Amino acid sequence: MNRTPLVFLGIFFTLAFSWTGLVLTNQISYGALRPFVDEGDNKAFPESLSGVAAQGKLVYEDLGCIVCHTQQVRRPGFGTDDKRHWGDRQSVARDYVREARPLIGSSRLGPDLRNVGARQNR
């Protein structure tokens, strides 16, 4: 008997349910994130990018900095981000809620650029 259609449907439904479980459930949970509002200070976190930071993001995109630099800080004990003082805490999904297209990065050849303004000596 020819069972090719049955095998094809089985593979198709397996991949469809896997995709639903991995992609759609994360989109539903993370897609509903909103900025956190601190009632004491009446400030929202994360804050919107200021004019200079927004210009820096455009430069980051235009020059292709995403190839060598990241914009995410790893948790303490996972890499050397805390020893290099690249951030006080790890990056979380809520850090990117105000960004239409998060530019996290693809490799760590250069230093992390997420909080570079806070790390510079003034």
Side-chain angles (χ1 to χ4, degrees):
M1 300 221 289
N2 189 3
R3 296 183 185 210
T4 304
L6 184 63
V7 171
F8 173 76
L9 286 175
I11 292 171
F12 175 77
F13 283 117
T14 301
L15 293 175
F17 285 127
S18 299
W19 181 83
T20 301
L22 292 173
V23 176
L24 284 183
T25 55
N26 285 322
Q27 173 59 30
I28 290 169
S29 62
Y30 292 132
L33 281 177
R34 300 288 173 247
F36 173 77
V37 178
D38 186 6
E39 299 297 331
D41 294 336
N42 201 19
K43 292 176 75 175
F45 177 80
E47 297 176 352
S48 298
L49 292 178
S50 66
V52 175
Q55 289 175 350
K57 182 178 179 180
L58 291 175
V59 170
Y60 182 82
E61 290 176 10
D62 289 341
L63 295 179
C65 300
I66 197 168
V67 175
C68 298
H69 299 276
T70 60
Q71 288 197 16
Q72 64 179 354
V73 179
R74 294 182 281 193
R75 66 180 175 266
F78 188 75
T80 58
D81 292 359
D82 55 339
K83 295 174 186 167
R84 294 178 183 175
H85 305 290
W86 284 358
D88 296 335
R89 61 172 185 78
Q90 76 178 35
S91 298
V92 293
R94 191 176 303 271
D95 293 340
Y96 307 100
V97 296
R98 293 194 186 261
E99 297 181 24
R101 191 180 72 194
L103 303 170
I104 294 175
S106 57
S107 69
R108 289 186 173 258
L109 298 175
D112 177 75
L113 298 177
R114 184 65 182 179
N115 300 312
V116 71
R119 295 191 315 258
Q120 297 297 319
N121 295 331
R122 296 180 183 187

PDB file of all heavy atoms in Angstrom, residues 59-86:
ATOM      1  N   VAL A  59      23.286  55.043  13.166  1.00  0.00           N
ATOM      2  CA  VAL A  59      24.682  54.799  12.770  1.00  0.00           C
ATOM      3  C   VAL A  59      25.018  53.318  12.927  1.00  0.00           C
ATOM      4  O   VAL A  59      25.667  52.718  12.069  1.00  0.00           O
ATOM      5  CB  VAL A  59      25.642  55.677  13.606  1.00  0.00           C
ATOM      6  CG1 VAL A  59      27.083  55.281  13.389  1.00  0.00           C
ATOM      7  CG2 VAL A  59      25.429  57.139  13.285  1.00  0.00           C
ATOM      8  N   TYR A  60      24.567  52.702  14.025  1.00  0.00           N
ATOM      9  CA  TYR A  60      24.776  51.277  14.286  1.00  0.00           C
ATOM     10  C   TYR A  60      24.206  50.445  13.134  1.00  0.00           C
ATOM     11  O   TYR A  60      24.827  49.480  12.686  1.00  0.00           O
ATOM     12  CB  TYR A  60      24.108  50.916  15.611  1.00  0.00           C
ATOM     13  CG  TYR A  60      24.263  49.498  16.070  1.00  0.00           C
ATOM     14  CD1 TYR A  60      25.415  49.073  16.725  1.00  0.00           C
ATOM     15  CD2 TYR A  60      23.257  48.569  15.875  1.00  0.00           C
ATOM     16  CE1 TYR A  60      25.541  47.768  17.177  1.00  0.00           C
ATOM     17  CE2 TYR A  60      23.380  47.269  16.318  1.00  0.00           C
ATOM     18  CZ  TYR A  60      24.525  46.880  16.965  1.00  0.00           C
ATOM     19  OH  TYR A  60      24.653  45.588  17.401  1.00  0.00           O
ATOM     20  N   GLU A  61      23.028  50.823  12.655  1.00  0.00           N
ATOM     21  CA  GLU A  61      22.411  50.105  11.537  1.00  0.00           C
ATOM     22  C   GLU A  61      23.151  50.356  10.233  1.00  0.00           C
ATOM     23  O   GLU A  61      23.440  49.429   9.480  1.00  0.00           O
ATOM     24  CB  GLU A  61      20.955  50.538  11.373  1.00  0.00           C
ATOM     25  CG  GLU A  61      20.042  50.084  12.469  1.00  0.00           C
ATOM     26  CD  GLU A  61      18.631  50.620  12.296  1.00  0.00           C
ATOM     27  OE1 GLU A  61      18.325  51.188  11.226  1.00  0.00           O
ATOM     28  OE2 GLU A  61      17.835  50.470  13.219  1.00  0.00           O
ATOM     29  N   ASP A  62      23.439  51.630   9.945  1.00  0.00           N
ATOM     30  CA  ASP A  62      24.035  51.998   8.657  1.00  0.00           C
ATOM     31  C   ASP A  62      25.435  51.428   8.458  1.00  0.00           C
ATOM     32  O   ASP A  62      25.786  51.001   7.367  1.00  0.00           O
ATOM     33  CB  ASP A  62      24.089  53.514   8.498  1.00  0.00           C
ATOM     34  CG  ASP A  62      22.717  54.117   8.289  1.00  0.00           C
ATOM     35  OD1 ASP A  62      21.792  53.360   7.919  1.00  0.00           O
ATOM     36  OD2 ASP A  62      22.565  55.334   8.488  1.00  0.00           O
ATOM     37  N   LEU A  63      26.236  51.428   9.508  1.00  0.00           N
ATOM     38  CA  LEU A  63      27.613  50.960   9.377  1.00  0.00           C
ATOM     39  C   LEU A  63      27.761  49.444   9.521  1.00  0.00           C
ATOM     40  O   LEU A  63      28.850  48.913   9.354  1.00  0.00           O
ATOM     41  CB  LEU A  63      28.508  51.657  10.410  1.00  0.00           C
ATOM     42  CG  LEU A  63      28.649  53.168  10.232  1.00  0.00           C
ATOM     43  CD1 LEU A  63      29.542  53.739  11.333  1.00  0.00           C
ATOM     44  CD2 LEU A  63      29.194  53.513   8.873  1.00  0.00           C
ATOM     45  N   GLY A  64      26.672  48.763   9.849  1.00  0.00           N
ATOM     46  CA  GLY A  64      26.735  47.310   9.976  1.00  0.00           C
ATOM     47  C   GLY A  64      27.437  46.857  11.243  1.00  0.00           C
ATOM     48  O   GLY A  64      28.066  45.798  11.264  1.00  0.00           O
ATOM     49  N   CYS A  65      27.329  47.641  12.303  1.00  0.00           N
ATOM     50  CA  CYS A  65      27.998  47.309  13.567  1.00  0.00           C
ATOM     51  C   CYS A  65      27.468  46.013  14.181  1.00  0.00           C
ATOM     52  O   CYS A  65      28.137  45.402  15.007  1.00  0.00           O
ATOM     53  CB  CYS A  65      27.826  48.454  14.566  1.00  0.00           C
ATOM     54  SG  CYS A  65      28.525  50.009  14.008  1.00  0.00           S
ATOM     55  N   ILE A  66      26.286  45.588  13.743  1.00  0.00           N
ATOM     56  CA  ILE A  66      25.666  44.385  14.272  1.00  0.00           C
ATOM     57  C   ILE A  66      26.509  43.131  13.982  1.00  0.00           C
ATOM     58  O   ILE A  66      26.381  42.116  14.652  1.00  0.00           O
ATOM     59  CB  ILE A  66      24.235  44.243  13.718  1.00  0.00           C
ATOM     60  CG1 ILE A  66      23.420  43.276  14.543  1.00  0.00           C
ATOM     61  CG2 ILE A  66      24.260  43.832  12.266  1.00  0.00           C
ATOM     62  CD1 ILE A  66      21.952  43.326  14.233  1.00  0.00           C
ATOM     63  N   VAL A  67      27.402  43.232  13.002  1.00  0.00           N
ATOM     64  CA  VAL A  67      28.230  42.077  12.641  1.00  0.00           C
ATOM     65  C   VAL A  67      29.245  41.767  13.741  1.00  0.00           C
ATOM     66  O   VAL A  67      29.477  40.605  14.061  1.00  0.00           O
ATOM     67  CB  VAL A  67      28.946  42.330  11.295  1.00  0.00           C
ATOM     68  CG1 VAL A  67      29.892  41.198  10.969  1.00  0.00           C
ATOM     69  CG2 VAL A  67      27.933  42.503  10.181  1.00  0.00           C
ATOM     70  N   CYS A  68      29.830  42.781  14.352  1.00  0.00           N
ATOM     71  CA  CYS A  68      30.882  42.571  15.341  1.00  0.00           C
ATOM     72  C   CYS A  68      30.480  42.895  16.779  1.00  0.00           C
ATOM     73  O   CYS A  68      31.131  42.453  17.716  1.00  0.00           O
ATOM     74  CB  CYS A  68      32.107  43.408  15.009  1.00  0.00           C
ATOM     75  SG  CYS A  68      32.852  42.993  13.430  1.00  0.00           S
ATOM     76  N   HIS A  69      29.433  43.688  16.963  1.00  0.00           N
ATOM     77  CA  HIS A  69      29.037  44.124  18.300  1.00  0.00           C
ATOM     78  C   HIS A  69      27.638  43.626  18.631  1.00  0.00           C
ATOM     79  O   HIS A  69      26.806  43.470  17.751  1.00  0.00           O
ATOM     80  CB  HIS A  69      29.037  45.658  18.383  1.00  0.00           C
ATOM     81  CG  HIS A  69      30.368  46.264  18.120  1.00  0.00           C
ATOM     82  ND1 HIS A  69      31.323  46.400  19.089  1.00  0.00           N
ATOM     83  CD2 HIS A  69      30.915  46.772  16.989  1.00  0.00           C
ATOM     84  CE1 HIS A  69      32.389  46.972  18.579  1.00  0.00           C
ATOM     85  NE2 HIS A  69      32.177  47.200  17.288  1.00  0.00           N
ATOM     86  N   THR A  70      27.386  43.405  19.904  1.00  0.00           N
ATOM     87  CA  THR A  70      26.064  43.007  20.351  1.00  0.00           C
ATOM     88  C   THR A  70      25.426  44.155  21.123  1.00  0.00           C
ATOM     89  O   THR A  70      26.085  45.127  21.475  1.00  0.00           O
ATOM     90  CB  THR A  70      26.132  41.785  21.280  1.00  0.00           C
ATOM     91  OG1 THR A  70      26.913  42.122  22.417  1.00  0.00           O
ATOM     92  CG2 THR A  70      26.730  40.596  20.583  1.00  0.00           C
ATOM     93  N   GLN A  71      24.155  43.990  21.395  1.00  0.00           N
ATOM     94  CA  GLN A  71      23.431  44.930  22.238  1.00  0.00           C
ATOM     95  C   GLN A  71      22.667  44.169  23.310  1.00  0.00           C
ATOM     96  O   GLN A  71      21.523  44.460  23.613  1.00  0.00           O
ATOM     97  CB  GLN A  71      22.471  45.776  21.402  1.00  0.00           C
ATOM     98  CG  GLN A  71      23.172  46.777  20.556  1.00  0.00           C
ATOM     99  CD  GLN A  71      22.231  47.856  20.065  1.00  0.00           C
ATOM    100  OE1 GLN A  71      21.134  48.034  20.557  1.00  0.00           O
ATOM    101  NE2 GLN A  71      22.694  48.596  19.091  1.00  0.00           N
ATOM    102  N   GLN A  72      23.310  43.196  23.867  1.00  0.00           N
ATOM    103  CA  GLN A  72      22.716  42.441  24.961  1.00  0.00           C
ATOM    104  C   GLN A  72      23.805  42.080  25.959  1.00  0.00           C
ATOM    105  O   GLN A  72      24.916  41.725  25.583  1.00  0.00           O
ATOM    106  CB  GLN A  72      22.018  41.182  24.454  1.00  0.00           C
ATOM    107  CG  GLN A  72      22.957  40.194  23.813  1.00  0.00           C
ATOM    108  CD  GLN A  72      22.245  38.957  23.335  1.00  0.00           C
ATOM    109  OE1 GLN A  72      21.061  38.790  23.579  1.00  0.00           O
ATOM    110  NE2 GLN A  72      22.943  38.068  22.675  1.00  0.00           N
ATOM    111  N   VAL A  73      23.493  42.202  27.216  1.00  0.00           N
ATOM    112  CA  VAL A  73      24.436  41.873  28.272  1.00  0.00           C
ATOM    113  C   VAL A  73      24.066  40.498  28.816  1.00  0.00           C
ATOM    114  O   VAL A  73      22.915  40.249  29.153  1.00  0.00           O
ATOM    115  CB  VAL A  73      24.382  42.931  29.398  1.00  0.00           C
ATOM    116  CG1 VAL A  73      25.345  42.586  30.512  1.00  0.00           C
ATOM    117  CG2 VAL A  73      24.684  44.305  28.836  1.00  0.00           C
ATOM    118  N   ARG A  74      25.055  39.607  28.866  1.00  0.00           N
ATOM    119  CA  ARG A  74      24.798  38.262  29.374  1.00  0.00           C
ATOM    120  C   ARG A  74      24.738  38.270  30.895  1.00  0.00           C
ATOM    121  O   ARG A  74      25.303  39.143  31.545  1.00  0.00           O
ATOM    122  CB  ARG A  74      25.886  37.303  28.899  1.00  0.00           C
ATOM    123  CG  ARG A  74      25.865  37.118  27.400  1.00  0.00           C
ATOM    124  CD  ARG A  74      26.889  36.145  26.939  1.00  0.00           C
ATOM    125  NE  ARG A  74      28.193  36.789  26.895  1.00  0.00           N
ATOM    126  CZ  ARG A  74      29.258  36.284  26.303  1.00  0.00           C
ATOM    127  NH1 ARG A  74      29.193  35.125  25.717  1.00  0.00           N
ATOM    128  NH2 ARG A  74      30.389  36.929  26.305  1.00  0.00           N
ATOM    129  N   ARG A  75      24.074  37.267  31.453  1.00  0.00           N
ATOM    130  CA  ARG A  75      23.936  37.192  32.910  1.00  0.00           C
ATOM    131  C   ARG A  75      25.283  36.898  33.561  1.00  0.00           C
ATOM    132  O   ARG A  75      26.171  36.303  32.936  1.00  0.00           O
ATOM    133  CB  ARG A  75      22.897  36.142  33.282  1.00  0.00           C
ATOM    134  CG  ARG A  75      23.277  34.739  32.935  1.00  0.00           C
ATOM    135  CD  ARG A  75      22.161  33.765  33.354  1.00  0.00           C
ATOM    136  NE  ARG A  75      22.478  32.430  32.922  1.00  0.00           N
ATOM    137  CZ  ARG A  75      22.051  31.898  31.781  1.00  0.00           C
ATOM    138  NH1 ARG A  75      21.290  32.595  30.979  1.00  0.00           N
ATOM    139  NH2 ARG A  75      22.392  30.683  31.449  1.00  0.00           N
ATOM    140  N   PRO A  76      25.454  37.324  34.812  1.00  0.00           N
ATOM    141  CA  PRO A  76      26.721  37.058  35.511  1.00  0.00           C
ATOM    142  C   PRO A  76      27.021  35.565  35.560  1.00  0.00           C
ATOM    143  O   PRO A  76      26.136  34.743  35.757  1.00  0.00           O
ATOM    144  CB  PRO A  76      26.477  37.616  36.913  1.00  0.00           C
ATOM    145  CG  PRO A  76      25.420  38.647  36.723  1.00  0.00           C
ATOM    146  CD  PRO A  76      24.550  38.127  35.629  1.00  0.00           C
ATOM    147  N   GLY A  77      28.267  35.230  35.347  1.00  0.00           N
ATOM    148  CA  GLY A  77      28.694  33.840  35.348  1.00  0.00           C
ATOM    149  C   GLY A  77      28.593  33.184  33.978  1.00  0.00           C
ATOM    150  O   GLY A  77      29.064  32.074  33.796  1.00  0.00           O
ATOM    151  N   PHE A  78      27.990  33.848  33.023  1.00  0.00           N
ATOM    152  CA  PHE A  78      27.868  33.313  31.669  1.00  0.00           C
ATOM    153  C   PHE A  78      28.634  34.258  30.753  1.00  0.00           C
ATOM    154  O   PHE A  78      28.094  35.197  30.210  1.00  0.00           O
ATOM    155  CB  PHE A  78      26.394  33.220  31.252  1.00  0.00           C
ATOM    156  CG  PHE A  78      26.190  32.516  29.952  1.00  0.00           C
ATOM    157  CD1 PHE A  78      26.307  31.144  29.853  1.00  0.00           C
ATOM    158  CD2 PHE A  78      25.881  33.231  28.807  1.00  0.00           C
ATOM    159  CE1 PHE A  78      26.108  30.500  28.657  1.00  0.00           C
ATOM    160  CE2 PHE A  78      25.692  32.597  27.600  1.00  0.00           C
ATOM    161  CZ  PHE A  78      25.811  31.222  27.528  1.00  0.00           C
ATOM    162  N   GLY A  79      29.903  34.037  30.638  1.00  0.00           N
ATOM    163  CA  GLY A  79      30.753  34.955  29.885  1.00  0.00           C
ATOM    164  C   GLY A  79      31.417  35.951  30.831  1.00  0.00           C
ATOM    165  O   GLY A  79      31.376  35.815  32.047  1.00  0.00           O
ATOM    166  N   THR A  80      32.014  36.952  30.245  1.00  0.00           N
ATOM    167  CA  THR A  80      32.773  37.918  31.048  1.00  0.00           C
ATOM    168  C   THR A  80      32.185  39.328  30.978  1.00  0.00           C
ATOM    169  O   THR A  80      32.890  40.301  31.195  1.00  0.00           O
ATOM    170  CB  THR A  80      34.230  37.961  30.559  1.00  0.00           C
ATOM    171  OG1 THR A  80      34.240  38.323  29.176  1.00  0.00           O
ATOM    172  CG2 THR A  80      34.928  36.634  30.756  1.00  0.00           C
ATOM    173  N   ASP A  81      30.905  39.442  30.688  1.00  0.00           N
ATOM    174  CA  ASP A  81      30.295  40.758  30.563  1.00  0.00           C
ATOM    175  C   ASP A  81      30.335  41.541  31.868  1.00  0.00           C
ATOM    176  O   ASP A  81      30.574  42.747  31.870  1.00  0.00           O
ATOM    177  CB  ASP A  81      28.848  40.648  30.089  1.00  0.00           C
ATOM    178  CG  ASP A  81      28.742  40.142  28.669  1.00  0.00           C
ATOM    179  OD1 ASP A  81      29.798  39.900  28.053  1.00  0.00           O
ATOM    180  OD2 ASP A  81      27.626  40.000  28.182  1.00  0.00           O
ATOM    181  N   ASP A  82      30.102  40.863  32.996  1.00  0.00           N
ATOM    182  CA  ASP A  82      30.125  41.575  34.272  1.00  0.00           C
ATOM    183  C   ASP A  82      31.547  41.997  34.649  1.00  0.00           C
ATOM    184  O   ASP A  82      31.756  43.072  35.209  1.00  0.00           O
ATOM    185  CB  ASP A  82      29.493  40.731  35.377  1.00  0.00           C
ATOM    186  CG  ASP A  82      30.126  39.352  35.522  1.00  0.00           C
ATOM    187  OD1 ASP A  82      30.759  38.889  34.559  1.00  0.00           O
ATOM    188  OD2 ASP A  82      29.966  38.742  36.597  1.00  0.00           O
ATOM    189  N   LYS A  83      32.541  41.192  34.316  1.00  0.00           N
ATOM    190  CA  LYS A  83      33.941  41.559  34.612  1.00  0.00           C
ATOM    191  C   LYS A  83      34.421  42.711  33.736  1.00  0.00           C
ATOM    192  O   LYS A  83      35.263  43.495  34.135  1.00  0.00           O
ATOM    193  CB  LYS A  83      34.845  40.349  34.425  1.00  0.00           C
ATOM    194  CG  LYS A  83      34.568  39.238  35.416  1.00  0.00           C
ATOM    195  CD  LYS A  83      35.375  38.006  35.111  1.00  0.00           C
ATOM    196  CE  LYS A  83      34.956  36.894  36.042  1.00  0.00           C
ATOM    197  NZ  LYS A  83      35.475  35.603  35.621  1.00  0.00           N
ATOM    198  N   ARG A  84      33.872  42.809  32.551  1.00  0.00           N
ATOM    199  CA  ARG A  84      34.240  43.897  31.639  1.00  0.00           C
ATOM    200  C   ARG A  84      33.428  45.165  31.896  1.00  0.00           C
ATOM    201  O   ARG A  84      33.610  46.167  31.220  1.00  0.00           O
ATOM    202  CB  ARG A  84      34.025  43.449  30.195  1.00  0.00           C
ATOM    203  CG  ARG A  84      34.945  42.339  29.783  1.00  0.00           C
ATOM    204  CD  ARG A  84      34.648  41.923  28.362  1.00  0.00           C
ATOM    205  NE  ARG A  84      35.489  40.809  27.965  1.00  0.00           N
ATOM    206  CZ  ARG A  84      35.383  40.187  26.817  1.00  0.00           C
ATOM    207  NH1 ARG A  84      34.485  40.559  25.941  1.00  0.00           N
ATOM    208  NH2 ARG A  84      36.170  39.186  26.534  1.00  0.00           N
ATOM    209  N   HIS A  85      32.474  45.082  32.821  1.00  0.00           N
ATOM    210  CA  HIS A  85      31.603  46.210  33.173  1.00  0.00           C
ATOM    211  C   HIS A  85      30.776  46.662  31.977  1.00  0.00           C
ATOM    212  O   HIS A  85      30.620  47.849  31.728  1.00  0.00           O
ATOM    213  CB  HIS A  85      32.409  47.375  33.761  1.00  0.00           C
ATOM    214  CG  HIS A  85      33.239  46.975  34.924  1.00  0.00           C
ATOM    215  ND1 HIS A  85      32.691  46.627  36.141  1.00  0.00           N
ATOM    216  CD2 HIS A  85      34.575  46.840  35.055  1.00  0.00           C
ATOM    217  CE1 HIS A  85      33.657  46.300  36.979  1.00  0.00           C
ATOM    218  NE2 HIS A  85      34.808  46.411  36.346  1.00  0.00           N
ATOM    219  N   TRP A  86      30.216  45.695  31.248  1.00  0.00           N
ATOM    220  CA  TRP A  86      29.387  46.009  30.094  1.00  0.00           C
ATOM    221  C   TRP A  86      27.954  46.276  30.496  1.00  0.00           C
ATOM    222  O   TRP A  86      27.139  46.647  29.671  1.00  0.00           O
ATOM    223  CB  TRP A  86      29.439  44.884  29.075  1.00  0.00           C
ATOM    224  CG  TRP A  86      30.716  44.877  28.299  1.00  0.00           C
ATOM    225  CD1 TRP A  86      31.746  45.771  28.396  1.00  0.00           C
ATOM    226  CD2 TRP A  86      31.106  43.952  27.305  1.00  0.00           C
ATOM    227  NE1 TRP A  86      32.745  45.456  27.535  1.00  0.00           N
ATOM    228  CE2 TRP A  86      32.382  44.330  26.845  1.00  0.00           C
ATOM    229  CE3 TRP A  86      30.520  42.839  26.757  1.00  0.00           C
ATOM    230  CZ2 TRP A  86      33.060  43.645  25.861  1.00  0.00           C
ATOM    231  CZ3 TRP A  86      31.194  42.147  25.777  1.00  0.00           C
ATOM    232  CH2 TRP A  86      32.445  42.552  25.338  1.00  0.00           C
TER     233      TRP A  86
END
